[in-house]
């Protein structure tokens, strides 16, 4: 081909060096692909807020630092705390029900919420197990130190990934315009490539930001509603696991047509069954269904879903498949990789594939 006829030894050398550098960078990032994808997700989710603040502050370093300190870190902390509370509620639910056999599936995560050997050692001192203090120390301290070493390694791994995520996010927010200009100048502002990348960029922001808003609004509304319902209820709480149920409801909003009903309708029917077969008041399931339908199920639809459907250029059913198949194929980070692949595929099919086919058929 004419392209390769212009490739002399110097160009081949530079291309080979570039491929080696790209391979080394790819290998380094592949080990932390989940962290990278999470940083990309957070970047698109908070980019509109960052750009709004940047217009006011007009200092990229200050704006980026303020965005991370006052938005990202609290958001990650709240999500982590909600996850821990949800794990505790899940552990209690599995233990109290006939599903205790399934605890082994979640054991690596449930172990984080359970009491450690430090509490057991304290109880040994307090309860007087019949041995001397030296015996207790000999038996308990090595085990405790081993657990502490394991916990320290786990905590360090989490902190290292958090630091890496925040570093990637910082430079994405601050230097994305410089990166975009460098790329467009490198390709000599090719109209086809510029149009493709801009369309992908816009839709990724819409998908990630809008779905995050839908999930957050639904989950927070559900937590407030169920906590308030439990507070005013007599004869025990109406919702036994409010945080866990609220998180599941938030995730359920991603499902088209059915939405969060796939979560709260079965739960409400269980409450109704308890009310009909036990002394549980009948108003518990009635109040649960009424508040959930009016408050929890209505607000996200009117507040966020219409915004998502109006702005996104990608069919919501395909986005759902991206979330679902991405998680099945790649694990937890597929939750972020799946939608990226879907957006790339949709715009490639619309903008690039027809031109390629036309060129091939024309030849």
């Amino acid at each position: 081909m004419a392209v390769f006829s212009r490739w002399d030894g110097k160009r081949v050398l530079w291309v080979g060096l570039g491929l080696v550098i790209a391979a080394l960078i790819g290998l380094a990032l592949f080990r932390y692909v989940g962290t990278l994808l999470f940083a990309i997700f957070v970047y698109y989710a908070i980019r509109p807020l960052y750009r709004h603040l940047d217009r006011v502050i007009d200092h990229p370093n200050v704006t980026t630092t303020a965005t991370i300190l006052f938005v990202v870190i609290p958001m990650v902390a709240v999500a982590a705390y909600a996850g821990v509370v949800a794990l505790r509620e899940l552990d209690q639910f599995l233990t109290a029900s006939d599903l205790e056999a399934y605890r082994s599936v979640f054991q690596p995560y449930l172990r984080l919420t359970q009491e450690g050997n430090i509490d057991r050692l304290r109880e040994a001192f307090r309860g007087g197990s019949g041995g001397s203090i030296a015996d207790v120390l000999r038996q308990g301290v090595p085990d405790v130190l081993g657990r502490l070493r394991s916990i320290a390694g786990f905590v360090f791994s989490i902190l290292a990934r958090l630091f890496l995520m925040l570093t990637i996010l910082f430079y994405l927010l601050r230097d994305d315009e410089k990166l975009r200009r460098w790329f467009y100048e490198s390709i000599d502002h090719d109209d086809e490539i510029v149009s493709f990348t801009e369309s992908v960029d816009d839709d990724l922001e819409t998908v990630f930001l809008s779905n995050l808003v839908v999930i957050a609004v639904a989950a927070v509304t559900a937590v407030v509603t169920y906590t308030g319902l439990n507070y005013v209820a007599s004869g025990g709480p109406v919702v036994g696991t409010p945080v866990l149920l609220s998180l599941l409801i938030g995730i359920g909003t991603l499902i088209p047509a059915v939405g969060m009903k796939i979560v709260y309708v079965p739960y409400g029917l269980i409450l109704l069954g308890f009310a009909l077969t036990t002394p549980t008041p009948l108003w518990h399931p009635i109040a649960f269904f009424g508040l959930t339908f009016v408050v929890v199920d209505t607000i996200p639809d009117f507040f966020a879903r219409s915004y998502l459907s109006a702005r996104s250029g990608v069919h919501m059913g395909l986005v759902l498949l991206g979330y679902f198949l991405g998680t099945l194929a790649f694990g937890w980070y597929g939750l972020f990789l799946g939608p990226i692949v879907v957006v790339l595929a949709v715009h490639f099919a619309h903008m690039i594939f027809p031109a390629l086919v036309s060129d091939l058929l024309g030849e």
Side-chain angles (χ1 to χ4, degrees), residues 164-299:
L164 178 60
M165 186 274 291
L166 292 177
T167 302
I168 295 173
L169 178 62
F170 180 91
Y171 289 107
L172 280 177
L173 288 172
R174 195 193 68 174
D175 299 328
D176 58 348
E177 291 296 334
K178 295 180 181 178
L179 181 63
R180 184 178 289 106
R181 285 197 301 269
W182 164 81
F183 178 72
Y184 288 162
E185 290 172 1
S186 299
I187 62 173
D188 197 24
H189 295 273
D190 182 273
D191 291 338
E192 192 174 47
I193 299 178
V194 170
S195 178
F196 175 78
T197 54
E198 287 182 346
S199 298
V200 169
D201 184 68
D202 291 340
D203 271 342
L204 284 178
E205 179 181 305
T206 300
V207 168
F208 282 141
L209 173 62
S210 302
N211 279 315
L212 179 65
V213 170
V214 172
I215 293 173
V217 170
V220 171
T221 304
V223 168
V224 174
T225 301
Y226 298 147
T227 302
L229 181 60
N230 287 343
Y231 181 77
V232 300
S234 59
V238 177
V239 181
T241 57
V243 176
L244 176 61
L245 182 64
S246 299
L247 291 178
L248 293 176
I249 282 177
I251 296 172
T253 58
L254 296 173
I255 302 177
V258 179
M260 66 179 70
K261 294 180 180 65
I262 197 172
V263 177
Y264 77 79
V265 170
Y267 191 89
L269 292 177
I270 294 175
L271 291 180
L272 181 60
F274 281 139
L276 296 176
T277 57
T278 66
T280 302
L282 184 60
W283 71 267
H284 280 194
I286 296 176
F288 173 81
F289 271 122
L291 286 174
T292 303
F293 179 77
V294 174
V295 179
V296 181
D297 199 0
T298 302
I299 292 179

Side-chain angles (χ1 to χ4, degrees), residues 94-171:
L94 294 177
T95 303
S97 64
D98 295 332
L99 302 175
E100 188 170 359
Y102 294 95
R103 292 179 74 239
S104 59
V105 178
F106 302 95
Q107 195 58 37
Y109 310 100
L110 298 177
R111 189 182 296 117
L112 300 176
T113 67
Q114 296 168 352
E115 293 183 350
N117 284 328
I118 294 178
D119 293 329
R120 296 195 187 101
L121 182 61
R122 186 174 64 245
E123 291 298 325
F125 279 115
R126 187 178 300 168
S129 57
S132 65
I133 294 179
D135 292 335
V136 174
L137 289 175
R138 280 195 299 269
Q139 296 173 6
V141 170
D143 191 24
V144 170
L145 291 178
R147 288 299 183 95
L148 287 177
R149 190 180 300 111
S150 176
I151 293 174
F154 175 78
V155 171
F156 177 78
S157 176
I158 294 297
L159 291 178
R161 283 170 168 77
L162 179 62
F163 174 78
L164 178 60
M165 186 274 291
L166 292 177
T167 302
I168 295 173
L169 178 62
F170 180 91
Y171 289 107

